Amino acid sequence: MFATSISLDAIHSFSKNTIADHIGIEFLEIGTDYIVARMPVDHRTHQPFGILHGGASVVLAETLGSIASFLCLKDPDNQHAVGLEINANHLRPAKNGFVYGRVTPIHVGRTTHIWDIKITNEENKLVCVSRLTVAIVSANR
């Protein structure tokens, strides 16, 4: 499904000096139609009560979906994938360790992509479910 073949190292290099790098998101696996990453649950991603901040989960979800859309672009030199809408349902707290996000496609069209992102804890229990809509726009905008 992915039009662009890319290594985990290349994805990590895209993330240098971004929010994903700042909060410690690491890409772990790229399949034919999915990507897996993990994010630490620590002082960078906690909210004041010592649990994972919902906004950090949304950053993980949008990061995964945006990279997945980039990998689907037919002409990445002349197209950009930009977030259009995201929602997230936070199902259980996480206090420490890592959470893992897995992105899979719902719809990959010419002008929009819709992604399903499931975030789990180290016991593989759902922490958050998210849906991201990405617009595919001309890079000349």
Side-chain angles (χ1 to χ4, degrees):
M1 182 183 96
F2 293 136
T4 304
S5 176
I6 194 165
S7 69
L8 289 172
D9 288 338
I11 291 177
H12 283 288
S13 70
F14 285 154
S15 299
K16 287 291 181 203
N17 299 314
T18 68
I19 191 169
D21 186 38
H22 179 70
I23 65 174
I25 293 174
E26 300 173 77
F27 296 91
L28 302 176
E29 185 178 352
I30 303 172
T32 57
D33 68 347
Y34 70 92
I35 303 169
V36 176
R38 73 179 185 173
M39 178 177 68
V41 181
D42 63 17
H43 68 281
R44 297 170 289 180
T45 57
H46 278 162
Q47 48 102 303
F49 300 113
I51 60 174
L52 180 63
H53 193 292
S57 294
V58 171
V59 169
L60 176 58
E62 187 154 354
T63 299
L64 280 163
S66 295
I67 293 290
S69 277
F70 171 77
L71 294 179
C72 291
L73 295 177
K74 302 287 186 224
D75 186 4
D77 291 332
N78 293 305
Q79 294 176 302
H80 288 163
V82 295
L84 184 62
E85 189 273 338
I86 190 165
N87 69 52
N89 295 101
H90 307 290
L91 306 173
R92 74 171 26 89
K95 294 183 179 182
N96 53 42
F98 288 92
V99 290
Y100 296 83
R102 180 184 177 102
V103 61
T104 56
I106 295 172
H107 166 77
V108 179
R110 186 178 52 80
T111 60
T112 59
H113 298 170
I114 302 172
W115 299 98
D116 178 62
I117 302 97
K118 291 188 171 56
I119 300 173
T120 57
N121 62 17
E122 291 177 314
E123 290 137 9
N124 205 32
K125 293 181 180 177
L126 274 175
V127 170
C128 177
V129 293
S130 183
R131 179 175 294 176
L132 172 67
T133 302
V134 176
I136 307 306
V137 299
S138 169
N140 299 327
R141 280 193 159 174

